[in-house]
Amino acid sequence: MGIPVFVFAGLLVHCVFLASIFDIYFTSPLVHGMTPQQTPLPPPGKRLVLFVADGLRADSLYELDSNGTSRAPFLRSILENTGSWGISHTRVPTESRPGHVALIAGFYEDVSAVAKGWKENPVEFDSIFNESKYTWSWGSPDILPMFAKGASGDHVYTFCYTAESEDFGAQDAAKLDTWVFDHVKSFFNSSRSNQTLYSALNEEKVVLFLHLLGIDTNGHAHRPNSREYKENIRKVDEGVKEIASMLENFYGNDGKTAFILTSDHGMTDWGSHGAGHPSETLTPLIAWGAGVNYPQRVASQFFEDNFLKEWKLENLKRLDVNQGTLPLEYLNNSAHFKAESMFTNAVQILEQFKVKMTQKKETTLSFLFTPFKPLSDSEQINLLKKTRLYIQQEKYDEAVSLCKTLINLALEGLSYYHTYDRLFLGLSIAMGFVGWTAYVILVIIKTHTNLTKAAQSHDKESTILLYGFAFVGLIIAFFLLIQTCPWTYYVYCLLPVPVWYAVVKELHVIQDLAAYLLSLPVGQSMGFLLICALGIEILVFSFFYRSTLTIGLLVFAGWPVITQLWVQAKTTALIWILLCMLLGIFPLMPVVGREPNIPLVIATGLLTLLISCSSLSSLCKSKNKYMNNEDLKVQFYQMLSIALSTYVVSSTHDSLQNKQGLPVFNQIISWTTLVSSSVLPLLSPTFLFQRLFSILLSLMSTYLLLSTGYEALFPLVLSGLMFVWINMEQEALQQYGLSLKPKLAVFNFSYATDIMQFRQLHLDDVRRSFFFVFFIVTAFFGTGNIASVNSFDPASVYCFLTVFSPFMMGGLLVLKVVIPFVLVSCAFEAVQVTTQLSSKSLFLIVLVISDIMALHFFFLVKDYGSWLDIGASISHYVLVMSLTIFMMLMNGLAQLLTTKKLELSRKTKHHST
């Protein structure tokens, strides 16, 4: 197989592996085609007013100030005198879209949405807005359109402010909430002179939705413990009071309006959300008005937390709910109404179960179909009859209990049919994984080692083998065809056939490898395999526990001592040990964003400037014949860029602290620095350390602008270790006598391919590849777990923009993660060329390591439990799979950054000697 064909096959196979989990684990569980069910009794209210205070924490609303007064006196009086209250428990990811889906559509976010983002409906679903006669909503352009777009008909109306209003650097984000309250008042005032609108507002099944984003915006910008966040809560309380009073007057106090105030998610102390910290998952819920219970006085109540005592609410019954479900304790209605409501809910879910079962039965051969036995047809009829009988006999508690049993069984059945094909598809992908990894190992042995002998061609055997595998493929395709399976099933199930054909075709390589392994001492072979397995497990564990990286780096620090490199190059080995230990501190630090430290970022900028000055001074003193004035100018420009970045970080922080917004000059400098950082390295000399140092300076100027704390030091320490790694690999090469030690000081990237004679792989090259993968993982997780949504601090991008823009902000945050990755990739490129290895040979070993890790994570993917578990499991798998695909791109980028030079003027070229 030629190189282009192999690369194309590798990309194709990995794209299939990556896409497979979304078909196997993350297809939508939602069912369509059911008959609508309605409760036969009339509802207690005609309209619902829903206030969602985005980003409002439960403790921030319920707690008392230092002087013993509530910062939300109106809402406090409601829960004490008029309505019911509790804590609404959200699920991870604690983001706006999933939270609002749970509140308004009544189910936790469809797991298939993990691949679709939070701004649009990834699947069709019903919502309370869609079932209403009319819904009017006011608020953010990021939230309101998602429900209007999915509604049938044109009865959902939205009124949004501009996206530019969502500015984290604004003087007062509470103006977003003021805008909503003012527009609601204006809307109702205008209805008095608009008979059509007035009539519509007086219909039944009317929903008024007020989305209040100010608290969330102030929380991101100033943190939840800030004066701005707390003052915003006070303004929301006042606005809710005014709206409630206005609506009661508008409807003549008819007692037919129900009010609910809650939040989609909370917020951490450091101003982020997305994960499962209690500050993010605990949100307030206060309900009052039509059909809602009055406060229930109790002598005592037990909860595992101590909030009741802290909030001085021990004697008012707390009714906690899971977001998206409403417990019966909140309803102020008859037992008959509650039982009928539960029965309707049970029938709705049972209808979904029936549709799902029918769909699966139609696409499975009858002799292979296994029904869900706990809920057979006879059992369904029995439970429904029994429940209806209890309601007729006025045994309402028994009817409610039986409905809950039926709901649980139906949900179990839905899950059973939804995951019906999972084992079959999972085994197919696993077969493909193992086959592909085996094939890559065989390619490495065949083309990059001396372990195999020249093979004789056996055309007849090859033809028989081809026909045999083709026949197996036809059998699988026929089996899928008669079951009318989706086209993706054909891809997953047929993929192992050509992969294993390629493996079996290399039988002579397998025989040569087996003979070589049998010739080695058993202890040596087992020891090598044990070390490889231990290394890969450490990499896997580091995805769950960042401190594992510290243990790995401490082991790396001992490498020179174990291999006698300490004797060969004491100074280099000592620096290696110190930098390994220093880099090992970062995974033990708190996740970035929790403790911002702008002075440390500024100090890092000054330190980088000092190192640059030292480098420039040494180059000038040495009168390097390979440097000219143009090259010195490039380094000077890069130093100037570092200085400007340091100034912008300091200036922007001060400006935002003083609520003066992001200065335009700072914004221009930031974007200019970002663009120039990709060009300036290409103007520097292509000598190894000079080019790598130029890349570091350019990327460092951008990284400083994206830093908020200790992570600013991370690229500096990482690059220092990478420079020493290049030297250490040169020392390691001498132990095997593979080549004369090249002069790294005058080694030129641009001529490396011309003068280099590539060598065959050695066992030590497996260690080199492992080092690279380990450093890549360290670059990802060294300053935080990017698999966790709340690791990203929006403050990181404030030098570039403060107006909320999820895609732009997300792109900048991804760039921040990629920068250390680029530094490691460039260092690995240097290691490859200086140790006389082709990039393909080492990359293949890296491919094997990452694929074995990916197979681990494939079996660890979850679609149950909390969204934190689900999100972590999928992101781990996607990261490792993307790593393989991304490294192909990074390898090309590293070659571009290290070998290419832009000539601004004609210069005389000097070849290295």
Side-chain angles (χ1 to χ4, degrees):
M1 190 183 288
I3 292 176
V5 178
F6 180 83
V7 171
F8 175 75
L11 281 171
L12 183 64
V13 166
H14 283 85
C15 286
V16 171
F17 289 160
L18 181 58
S20 67
I21 60 164
F22 298 105
D23 250 352
I24 297 172
Y25 292 98
F26 299 104
T27 51
S28 174
L30 298 185
V31 182
H32 301 279
M34 291 78 65
T35 306
Q37 305 290 324
Q38 290 188 339
T39 305
L41 301 178
K46 291 177 65 176
R47 65 200 72 89
L48 167 68
V49 183
L50 176 62
F51 300 96
V52 176
D54 204 304
L56 176 59
R57 290 163 47 149
D59 58 345
S60 298
L61 180 67
Y62 292 138
E63 69 187 4
L64 302 177
D65 284 338
S66 54
N67 57 7
T69 60
S70 171
R71 63 177 62 99
F74 172 72
L75 292 170
R76 183 80 177 197
S77 69
I78 288 291
L79 66 90
E80 287 179 347
N81 305 306
T82 313
S84 295
W85 76 284
I87 290 177
S88 174
H89 297 263
T90 71
R91 278 198 191 178
V92 179
T94 42
E95 296 288 346
S96 291
R97 177 193 151 78
H100 282 88
V101 167
L103 291 170
I104 297 164
F107 68 94
Y108 286 118
E109 180 66 77
D110 172 14
V111 290
S112 68
V114 294
K116 312 256 180 89
W118 308 127
K119 288 185 72 96
E120 294 290 348
N121 292 338
V123 290
E124 291 299 322
F125 59 81
D126 204 3
S127 71
I128 189 173
F129 293 175
N130 192 41
E131 292 297 323
S132 68
K133 185 71 177 287
Y134 294 105
T135 292
W136 287 277
S137 55
W138 296 264
S140 168
D142 298 316
I143 298 298
L144 305 190
M146 74 171 70
F147 293 100
K149 185 176 179 181
S152 57
D154 57 352
H155 61 284
V156 179
Y157 303 97
T158 61
F159 303 91
C160 307
Y161 37 73
T162 61
E164 290 72 28
S165 302
E166 300 174 21
D167 188 348
F168 294 136
Q171 290 185 358
D172 184 14
K175 66 182 181 183
L176 299 176
D177 300 337
T178 304
W179 185 98
V180 171
F181 294 132
D182 288 346
H183 277 71
V184 173
K185 293 173 194 171
S186 173
F187 177 78
F188 274 86
N189 287 335
S190 67
S191 71
R192 297 186 185 278
S193 57
N194 184 333
Q195 188 56 44
T196 305
L197 177 59
Y198 186 83
S199 300
L201 285 169
N202 280 279
E203 292 275 4
E204 293 187 349
K205 298 173 68 175
V206 166
V207 177
L208 304 172
F209 173 42
L210 285 71
H211 177 248
L212 309 168
L213 188 63
I215 293 172
D216 184 72
T217 307
N218 269 319
H220 286 308
H222 306 289
R223 308 294 190 256
N225 292 318
S226 65
R227 180 184 59 81
E228 290 83 0
Y229 185 89
K230 294 174 180 177
E231 186 60 33
N232 204 152
I233 295 173
R234 201 179 305 278
K235 290 183 179 179
V236 165
D237 181 70
E238 292 169 0
V240 170
K241 179 182 179 180
E242 290 173 8
I243 296 297
S245 175
M246 179 202 72
L247 290 175
E248 292 290 13
N249 291 333
F250 182 87
Y251 288 110
N253 295 298
D254 63 355
K256 294 292 183 179
T257 308
F259 297 89
I260 295 176
L261 180 133
T262 186
S263 176
D264 52 348
H265 56 76
M267 187 171 286
T268 61
D269 289 341
W270 51 95
S272 66
H273 54 82
H277 192 273
S279 61
E280 299 168 86
T281 60
L282 303 183
T283 60
L285 175 60
I286 301 175
W288 70 100
V292 180
N293 258 335
Y294 289 100
Q296 301 173 54
R297 308 283 172 181
V298 291
S300 63
Q301 49 186 329
F302 174 76
F303 286 91
E304 291 183 0
D305 52 61
N306 296 316
F307 293 141
L308 289 171
K309 189 175 180 182
E310 292 174 19
W311 301 338
K312 302 289 190 291
L313 292 169
E314 305 100 309
N315 299 322
L316 285 172
K317 189 171 183 181
R318 169 179 150 187
L319 304 172
D320 282 15
V321 304
N322 287 319
Q323 195 178 69
T325 62
L326 186 65
L328 298 178
E329 290 93 332
Y330 269 82
L331 298 181
N332 179 18
N333 216 310
S334 66
H336 184 200
F337 181 86
K338 293 178 182 180
E340 287 286 2
S341 299
M342 283 296 293
F343 183 70
T344 302
N345 195 9
V347 172
Q348 287 172 336
I349 296 173
L350 185 61
E351 280 292 314
Q352 293 182 47
F353 168 80
K354 288 178 180 178
V355 171
K356 196 76 172 177
M357 181 181 69
T358 304
Q359 289 173 352
K360 185 48 60 185
K361 200 170 184 179
E362 289 173 350
T363 57
T364 308
L365 294 173
S366 57
F367 65 90
L368 292 176
F369 181 72
T370 308
F372 182 65
K373 293 177 181 176
L375 203 55
S376 61
D377 291 346
S378 59
E379 184 65 17
Q380 292 175 36
I381 294 167
N382 181 43
L383 287 170
L384 290 172
K385 281 184 176 179
K386 215 171 184 179
T387 306
R388 178 49 66 191
L389 185 62
Y390 279 143
I391 292 174
Q392 290 171 355
Q393 295 173 347
E394 299 185 2
K395 296 179 179 179
Y396 300 124
D397 290 340
E398 290 87 342
V400 167
S401 178
L402 207 56
C403 285
K404 289 178 179 177
T405 302
L406 181 55
I407 287 171
N408 290 332
L409 282 174
L411 289 173
E412 284 179 32
L414 277 168
S415 176
Y416 171 80
Y417 287 120
H418 183 63
T419 60
Y420 196 84
D421 295 328
R422 182 167 297 174
L423 179 63
F424 166 62
L425 294 174
L427 287 174
S428 297
I429 292 296
M431 285 279 289
F433 249 121
V434 174
W436 172 257
T437 307
Y439 177 68
V440 175
I441 292 171
L442 294 177
V443 169
I444 293 170
I445 293 166
K446 182 180 178 181
T447 59
H448 297 283
T449 70
N450 297 317
L451 297 181
T452 58
K453 303 167 187 173
Q456 298 177 353
S457 61
H458 299 284
D459 292 339
K460 188 177 179 181
E461 290 180 9
S462 298
T463 305
I464 294 170
L465 197 64
L466 178 61
Y467 284 145
F469 274 91
F471 179 72
V472 171
L474 285 172
I475 294 293
I476 293 170
F478 178 73
F479 179 76
L480 296 171
L481 183 64
I482 59 178
Q483 294 194 100
T484 60
C485 293
W487 67 269
T488 50
Y489 281 37
Y490 290 83
V491 176
Y492 305 142
C493 298
L494 290 174
L495 179 65
V497 177
V499 170
W500 278 101
Y501 167 70
V503 172
V504 177
K505 196 178 175 185
E506 304 293 342
L507 185 61
H508 68 283
V509 180
I510 299 171
Q511 291 169 342
D512 291 341
L513 176 61
Y516 173 74
L517 291 175
L518 290 172
S519 68
L520 294 174
V522 177
Q524 187 178 337
S525 300
M526 294 302 293
F528 176 73
L529 291 174
L530 185 65
I531 289 171
C532 289
L534 184 63
I536 289 173
E537 289 306 315
I538 286 174
L539 288 172
V540 170
F541 264 85
S542 68
F543 278 69
F544 299 97
Y545 310 102
R546 288 172 59 219
S547 56
T548 310
L549 294 172
T550 302
I551 297 169
L553 286 165
L554 291 176
V555 173
F556 281 14
W559 170 52
V561 180
I562 298 167
T563 57
Q564 300 300 309
L565 285 172
W566 171 264
V567 179
Q568 199 172 319
K570 286 187 178 178
T571 305
T572 309
L574 182 62
I575 298 171
W576 167 268
I577 291 168
L578 289 173
L579 285 173
C580 279
M581 294 173 72
L582 189 58
L583 191 65
I585 295 172
F586 286 92
L588 300 176
M589 301 283 281
V591 172
V592 167
R594 299 190 179 186
E595 297 175 10
N597 192 336
I598 298 300
L600 185 58
V601 179
I602 296 167
T604 303
L606 296 175
L607 176 61
T608 309
L609 209 55
L610 184 64
I611 295 169
S612 305
C613 289
S614 175
S615 169
L616 190 62
S617 174
S618 65
L619 283 173
C620 292
K621 285 179 181 177
S622 66
K623 296 181 180 177
N624 192 328
K625 65 178 179 177
Y626 304 110
M627 290 282 285
N628 55 38
N629 289 335
E630 293 298 323
D631 298 332
L632 291 174
K633 282 180 185 176
V634 170
Q635 186 161 342
F636 176 77
Y637 291 144
Q638 290 180 313
M639 290 168 58
L640 180 63
S641 182
I642 292 286
L644 282 172
S645 294
T646 306
Y647 163 77
V648 167
V649 168
S650 175
S651 172
T652 300
H653 176 72
D654 292 341
S655 180
L656 293 178
Q657 283 285 93
N658 297 326
K659 296 185 180 178
Q660 295 173 349
L662 172 61
V664 176
F665 174 76
N666 291 12
Q667 195 171 17
I668 293 170
I669 292 293
S670 297
W671 285 106
T672 305
T673 301
L674 176 62
V675 173
S676 65
S677 64
S678 60
V679 178
L680 283 175
L682 301 178
L683 298 173
S684 65
T686 52
F687 296 104
L688 191 143
F689 286 115
Q690 289 172 34
R691 176 53 69 95
L692 292 180
F693 189 65
S694 177
I695 292 169
L696 169 63
L697 290 183
S698 285
L699 296 180
M700 196 67 196
S701 59
T702 301
Y703 199 85
L704 284 170
L705 294 169
L706 293 167
S707 297
T708 59
Y710 74 86
E711 83 273 18
L713 280 166
F714 183 70
L716 268 187
V717 179
L718 181 65
S719 295
L721 186 59
M722 293 300 97
F723 285 130
V724 181
W725 182 34
I726 296 166
N727 282 288
M728 288 293 288
E729 291 297 357
Q730 283 300 301
E731 300 295 341
L733 206 61
Q734 305 314 303
Q735 290 192 327
Y736 299 99
L738 294 174
S739 69
L740 293 173
K741 183 178 177 181
K743 295 177 181 178
L744 290 180
V746 293
F747 189 90
N748 197 318
F749 277 117
S750 61
Y751 309 129
T753 53
D754 299 331
I755 64 174
M756 194 64 65
Q757 181 64 46
F758 294 129
R759 62 178 175 81
Q760 295 284 55
L761 286 172
H762 188 276
L763 268 182
D764 200 42
D765 295 318
V766 177
R767 192 261 315 148
R768 284 188 179 91
S769 300
F770 177 79
F771 272 29
F772 171 60
V773 177
F774 188 91
F775 287 137
I776 284 292
V777 173
T778 304
F780 268 127
F781 295 109
T783 59
N785 182 353
I786 69 164
S788 173
V789 184
N790 78 351
S791 294
F792 290 140
D793 181 10
S796 297
V797 303
Y798 286 172
C799 289
F800 294 89
L801 74 164
T802 54
V803 174
F804 181 66
S805 174
F807 293 107
M808 188 72 76
M809 288 179 165
L812 289 168
L813 291 168
V814 168
L815 175 64
K816 183 179 179 180
V817 173
V818 166
I819 285 174
F821 196 8
V822 174
L823 293 172
V824 174
S825 297
C826 290
F828 189 55
E829 176 69 17
V831 168
Q832 287 177 137
V833 296
T834 57
T835 56
Q836 300 176 340
L837 279 169
S838 71
S839 58
K840 182 190 173 187
S841 60
L842 280 188
F843 178 75
L844 288 175
I845 301 175
V846 170
L847 195 63
V848 171
I849 294 170
S850 58
D851 280 348
I852 294 172
M853 289 170 62
L855 191 58
H856 272 72
F857 290 120
F858 178 78
F859 289 110
L860 292 174
V861 171
K862 294 180 180 178
D863 69 339
Y864 58 88
S866 75
W867 260 84
L868 181 61
D869 297 332
I870 295 169
S873 69
I874 186 177
S875 59
H876 289 160
Y877 179 73
V878 170
L879 275 175
V880 178
M881 290 304 301
S882 301
L883 189 68
T884 307
I885 300 167
F886 194 48
M887 276 191 301
M888 293 183 183
L889 302 175
M890 279 293 104
N891 185 50
L893 178 61
Q895 286 184 5
L896 174 70
L897 287 173
T898 54
T899 61
K900 301 301 177 187
K901 185 165 196 242
L902 296 177
E903 302 287 350
L904 296 182
S905 60
R906 292 182 65 84
K907 291 182 278 188
T908 304
K909 291 185 179 179
H910 300 277
H911 286 259
S912 59
T913 55

